[in-house]
Amino acid sequence: MLFSEVRGLPVVLPGRAGPLGRVTSLTVDVADARVSHVRLRAGRFRRERVLPWDAVDTVGPGAVQIHSPTPPVPAPRRRDLLGHRVLTDAGNEQGTVLDVAFDPATGRLLALFTGHGEVPPTRLLGLGDHALVVRAA
């Protein structure tokens, strides 16, 4: 599944009428190369909530289903991978992140798609305000 396919999906809890909110982005733990949190907008004032990936049961084309009404948790600063600049550890420009493929069952990243081609998650080194840093090929 792609990050772009998840953005905007409703987050639902079985047995509750109506969605808890809609996915705004997925937070990534770069060191582990996996999704760590789901960010969603919810409520009357559309405040952002953050849920741990462990609260997710399934991710499908119609919704993200969670297994319990997990209270919001502290999460790393919001750094959306989509649109983020990509640099190698040697300082070479690798375009921007166009999309990210991940396993919806585990949250493991499968590939990052950039303007310069595909980047395997094993090359990820760090994510900051300025850029996503990857190991040079």
Side-chain angles (χ1 to χ4, degrees):
M1 183 165 242
L2 299 173
F3 274 28
S4 61
E5 295 173 326
V6 175
R7 190 180 276 173
L9 286 179
V11 177
V12 298
L13 178 63
R16 179 182 165 161
L20 298 173
R22 293 200 172 267
V23 176
T24 56
S25 67
L26 300 174
T27 301
V28 171
D29 177 349
V30 173
D32 203 22
R34 68 181 293 269
V35 176
S36 61
H37 297 85
V38 177
R39 294 178 182 269
L40 61 135
R41 293 256 180 231
R44 184 176 186 183
F45 299 107
R46 302 206 19 95
R47 290 186 303 211
E48 185 172 74
R49 292 181 58 194
V50 181
L51 301 173
W53 181 258
D54 296 340
V56 174
D57 269 340
T58 59
V59 179
V64 173
Q65 183 175 311
I66 63 172
H67 55 78
S68 65
T70 308
V73 296
R77 286 182 35 192
R78 182 185 180 132
R79 291 188 180 117
D80 198 352
L81 261 174
L82 299 182
H84 220 81
R85 181 179 185 194
V86 181
L87 296 174
T88 67
D89 52 355
N92 297 323
E93 184 79 37
Q94 295 294 303
T96 59
V97 178
L98 303 174
D99 218 334
V100 180
F102 74 104
D103 180 342
T106 64
R108 286 263 174 228
L109 302 186
L110 303 174
L112 282 81
F113 303 104
T114 73
H116 290 259
E118 187 175 317
V119 176
T122 54
R123 289 183 44 205
L124 299 180
L125 293 175
L127 177 63
D129 291 332
H130 181 65
L132 170 67
V133 180
V134 297
R135 191 173 295 106

